[in-house]
Amino acid sequence: MSTRLNRDFELLPRSEPAIRIRDLNVSYSMGDHVMVPACRDIQFDVAAEESIGLLGESGAGKSTIAYAIMGLIEAPNKVTGEITCWGKDVLKMTQEQLRRFRWNEVAMVFQAAMNSLDPVVTVGQNMEELILDKGVVRVKAEARELSLKLLRTMDLSEEVYRLHPFELSGGMKQRVIIAMALVTNPKILILDEPTTALDTITQFSVLSAIKSLKKEGRIGGTILISHDISVHAFMVDRVLILLKGLIVEDAAVKDIVEGPKHPYTQVLSGLLKLDPSKRPATGSGTSLPKNECPFTSTCPYVMPKCRENIPPLVTVKKGHRVACYLYGE
């Protein structure tokens, strides 16, 4: 019998999202009163046990959204809008409330987090320190027992507990980090590029372990950040496509893979090929358009009105939204 997490959100009505984001805008301070927008008018919900993906190129705003959910964007950077998790307004939390909220309500595996392990102590010591710091248990012997249990959850042996981080492969270190993220039984787990720099076989192993944990009820909802559409196809129920800080499409992963609507998503899915001369020299970049579609410079279907206003997200069918003037009126 699998062990289910102790989740308060199971008491919420089924219609009530675990995470609700409305009109989220984030800008980063560059000094001298210069603010650079990173994401604009972000709106979406996450159900209690849903797996969603944030997909886009570097600079699209994926990690910024995750940091905002965690309450990690501080002044002089600017965050406006609404982020509620189980009815609690994240943007109005005190530092003490945020401390309790992080890890217990929502935990995050940061990009390149495998490098955050203290190299001078063992994996076991890394884990025990975290467990005791979070007050999960009070006795070191209990912290050791929980550490070993979490390592077994990630298919890691007791030998790993006694090793130093530099003695582990990249995949093993990433599994340790995910095990540590499960210390407080978070209701939502955010994974920011969890398989970056791992070979294909190790990627599959790590992602399969995460799926198994969710199936067993050890993880509630998940938010997966990746620029790799194949990872999303394997891992999530629904995908939000981001381009230059804007959501351009939101749909079930099957629709994103098999029937994408936005031309940018069609490019990501390999269904639309672009003229190489029109491709930008680098990734999507972080420069948000002021009053035009973020894909105008590259889109083969661009129309005059695409350069006049940012297309609104419209529903093309139940559960499928797209921001493109090819659809709607």
Side-chain angles (χ1 to χ4, degrees), residues 2 10 42 46 100 102 133 156 190 215:
S2 63
E10 289 179 343
I42 301 298
V46 183
R100 293 196 301 268
R102 296 172 189 145
D133 179 66
L156 294 170
I190 301 175
K215 186 176 181 180

Side-chain angles (χ1 to χ4, degrees), residues 44-56:
F44 66 92
D45 296 337
V46 183
E49 297 191 11
E50 185 179 20
S51 294
I52 76 160
L54 304 181
L55 173 61

Side-chain angles (χ1 to χ4, degrees), residues 53-60 62-63 111 191-197 203 224-232 239-242 264 268-269 284:
L54 304 181
L55 173 61
E57 299 171 79
S58 297
K62 307 183 298 298
S63 296
Q111 193 170 160
L191 299 143
D192 191 354
E193 300 283 3
T195 56
T196 296
Q203 282 186 35
L224 173 69
I225 298 170
S226 177
H227 61 274
D228 189 337
I229 194 168
S230 64
V231 170
H232 289 282
V239 181
L240 276 64
I241 306 296
L242 286 121
Y264 175 67
L268 294 179
S269 301
S284 63

Side-chain angles (χ1 to χ4, degrees), residues 8-9 12 17-19 48 84-88 101 105-106 187-188:
D8 294 336
F9 61 65
L12 292 174
I19 296 178
T84 56
C85 297
W86 298 278
K88 304 168 187 174
F101 168 75
E105 305 287 334
V106 181
K187 299 169 186 174
I188 297 286

Side-chain angles (χ1 to χ4, degrees), residues 152-171:
R152 287 194 295 271
T153 295
M154 293 303 298
D155 292 326
L156 294 170
S157 68
E158 185 171 339
E159 180 186 2
V160 171
Y161 175 88
R162 296 188 292 268
L163 297 176
H164 287 77
F166 64 82
E167 298 178 279
L168 306 181
S169 68

